[in-house]
Amino acid sequence: MTELLKISLPDGSVREMAPGSTPADVAAAIGPGLAKAAIAARVDGELVDLSRPFSGDAQLALVTARDEADALELARHDYAHVLAEAVQALWPGTQITFGPATDDGFYYDVMAPASREPFGMDDLPAIEEKMREIIQADKPLTREVWTRQQLIDKWTADGETFKAEWAAELPAGEELTVYWSGRDWLDMCRGPHLPSTGKLDPQAFKLMRVAGAYWRGDQKNAQLTRIYGTGWLNKKQLNEHLTRLEEAAKRDHRKLGREMDLFHLQEEAHGSVFWHPHGYVIWRELEAYMRRAIDDAGYREVKTPQVMDARQWEQSGHWGKYRENMFVIPDEVPNTEDEGAIVSGDAEWMALKPMNCPAHVLIFRQGIKSYRDLPLRIYENGCCHRNEPHGALHGLMRVRQFTQDDAHIFCREDQIVAEVRAFCELADRIYKDFGFTYSIKLALRPEKRFGSDADWDKAEDELRNAVIEAGLATEAYGWEELPGEGAFYAPKLEWHLTDAIGRTWQVGTIQSDRVLPERLDATYVGEDGEKHRPVMLHRAIFGSYERFIGILIEHFAGRLPVWLAPVQAVVATIVSDADDYAKDAVARLKAAGIRVESDLRNEKINYKVREHSHAKVPHLLVVGKREAEEGTVAIRTLGEQQQKFMSLEEAIAMLKAEATAPDLR
């Protein structure tokens, strides 16, 4: 008699199933409702197709649409395949390459046939319609195992040169799979997939845009067309997402940066920001705020060089792990003649610093440090450069030159938990001052890393315990552990801020590092008179000033709190008879520390109101002949319908209170 398989379910029950049975068979045995609702399965933790036979006894969890993370991943993967099938159905001869799921949808890279131009936005409606046809046809998605040679032969015969190239590089001994859509279209894929195209909602996706993409990401290779879409489980989710995108577009910091005259970027300095006077006011306010915070917390501010010898980066480990993101320069005077190479190629190499950590270790190493000197908290508004690809640059959010609110705490082993806890409390206060809610994540050891497992165990436990002691390792703070996402030298805590429209931004971090002090030979003299290694805590709260300002602009939709607003008030006249009073009001407001401007132009007041509202000025103080005679102002506050009337003295007091940074109130 054939021995039955024991399939353990999440409720603790065990189902005995015949060999060759599948998760779909288990779902059917439990009941028709579950059989209809199930879309995939987790077998021993691995997400697999419902039709995948069990290989032995197993733990089984059936996946339905209620398991939203898994369901979205599956749906988006399937939308990508349906997209590729639709494009090839509409334009035979189209070559397909790859199409993964993304955070909010999917894309597929394709090459149009020689008979037509590359695909463009005008093609998207027809592709969408064809995708809906494929979905409504409810075509079964069936997995098959093929040999590498079968794949090569198939793609070569079909003229799929990109797929054939990729198939030829696959390991010969690995299980290679394809998925059929019905029996008339297939793609090479690891899976898993939904049982059929009909499990997708034909009204829950939308193709968004097209872009150029190089085969395998190399600009030396053929250029393809990348078709992007967004995909969801139902139309309601899609509509909510499109509304968020519409709101995000209104809040785009690049658009608002132009309208508010804050900054600009241009090709002559790829990835570096030109800050205008109004934009730099925001920067200076943040810098002053952070200085007060770190001074109160016992940090000592330093300034370190921009360029350091490559040997220093070799010793720190960054040269081997991070060199592709570094700007390197030869240590020589360039050739000034018209003929010959600009640099010889024989010089020693130096590099612009991509981070501040090694320089802070060098400061720590100056002079003998005692255990009594620890913890030593070193802070720097450190300007760094990273060689990001041009295509990855994005306004203030992804730049090449940036300034970090960077600090490193050198401490003893017995001080780590207390220092991390103090940092958690400092970060909590600062984020709340800006009106953010946040979640905390612990990023654990990556596969490629420096240091022993024992050191990693200790470092991870210290960070975990500090958050627990601070009372933040709770569901309310979104506490979560992220396997494999730590830095190569240390685990880290991450702060993920939630903005006004529900997006999350990873900003703050603290990392517990025993590797860099070892590599750069940092020591202190312990109570026993012997040398010991300090532990180095890497930490930041804003992350970078550029990105944090971008997040603030989008979070507040440009309507920054009064204390951060570049212009906090404008005094605008209705008639020229009030010009002298307006000038006096401006002088008194400036004397009170308010950033104020006057608008005495011969324009209608409604025009002035619209213009200054567009520039996101928090308060407009309107004055006419009557206000000049009475010593009053009419205040129009951004976002409010009704204006308020008060004396100039009352207006100055109100503005002074609002213009005071939250830590000084």
Side-chain angles (χ1 to χ4, degrees), residues 297 299 375 377 409 411-426 461-467 469-470 510 537:
Y299 290 81
R377 307 179 188 99
I409 303 168
C411 61
R412 306 189 306 265
E413 296 268 350
D414 62 299
Q415 296 171 324
I416 295 171
V417 173
E419 286 299 309
V420 175
R421 175 179 177 172
F423 174 76
C424 290
E425 292 166 350
L426 175 63
D461 282 342
E462 288 159 350
L463 295 183
R464 187 180 291 114
N465 292 337
V467 179
E469 286 192 14
I510 188 166
L537 303 177

Side-chain angles (χ1 to χ4, degrees), residues 357-365 369 373-378 407-412 415 419 513 516-517 522-524 534-538:
C357 336
H360 288 190
V361 177
L362 297 183
I363 288 178
F364 178 86
R365 285 177 48 188
K369 299 295 185 296
D373 298 321
L374 305 183
L376 178 60
R377 307 179 188 99
I378 295 176
H408 296 90
I409 303 168
F410 297 88
C411 61
R412 306 189 306 265
Q415 296 171 324
E419 286 299 309
D513 178 12
L516 204 57
T523 62
Y524 69 91
V535 175
M536 186 177 183
L537 303 177
H538 306 246

Side-chain angles (χ1 to χ4, degrees), residues 394-406:
H394 178 74
L396 301 179
M397 303 304 192
R398 188 85 175 263
V399 291
R400 285 177 156 184
Q401 177 185 292
F402 58 95
T403 299
Q404 293 178 307
D405 66 312
D406 204 7

Side-chain angles (χ1 to χ4, degrees), residues 168-190:
E169 297 176 13
L170 294 173
E174 189 175 301
E175 185 177 76
L176 307 176
T177 56
V178 298
Y179 278 80
W180 286 95
S181 173
R183 294 306 300 178
D184 57 346
W185 189 86
L186 65 78
D187 198 0
M188 182 167 65
C189 183
R190 290 176 180 271

